Amino acid sequence: MSKTQEAPPVNHQAKLIYHGSYNVLLFRPEWKEKREEILNRDKVCVICKSPENLQVHHRQYHYLIAEECFNNPREYSNSLLITLE
């Protein structure tokens, strides 16, 4: 996706979030806000305690059978998000 293309709106009725669109969701302001919240909560990697190169990861992913798509990355509860180096 080029820098001039705009990220598609989050559509809860989408039939499938495929690999490329999931990455787009990680650049949306909503995910960035959620990511900062988790980084502020954990402060360091929960495994090695390093404060460097931190990333927020999902402990698991939820597939919504009724909607035939994966849950939006920012809609997971904070307990399912973890900070890692």
Side-chain angles (χ1 to χ4, degrees):
M1 177 180 294
S2 74
K3 290 183 179 180
T4 59
Q5 290 177 317
E6 189 174 320
V10 176
N11 181 351
H12 298 285
Q13 300 303 316
K15 291 297 178 190
L16 179 67
I17 292 180
Y18 55 94
H19 180 72
S21 68
Y22 180 84
N23 286 336
V24 169
L25 293 173
L26 296 178
F27 287 96
R28 294 186 62 83
E30 298 89 350
W31 169 250
K32 289 181 178 185
E33 183 178 306
K34 181 79 151 183
R35 180 183 179 277
E36 284 301 315
E37 181 180 342
I38 300 305
L39 289 172
N40 288 330
R41 177 194 71 192
D42 294 342
K43 308 248 188 274
V44 297
C45 171
V46 299
I47 294 174
C48 72
K49 307 304 181 208
S50 171
E52 305 295 324
N53 303 313
L54 299 177
Q55 299 179 19
V56 174
H57 291 268
H58 292 77
R59 292 177 181 255
Q60 58 185 255
Y61 295 92
H62 296 164
Y63 187 77
L64 307 172
I65 295 172
E67 296 181 28
E68 297 180 354
C69 66
F70 285 97
N71 201 6
N72 188 297
R74 68 179 167 82
E75 293 178 352
Y76 285 81
S77 83
N78 289 358
S79 65
L80 294 176
L81 299 170
I82 186 171
T83 301
L84 299 173
E85 178 184 29

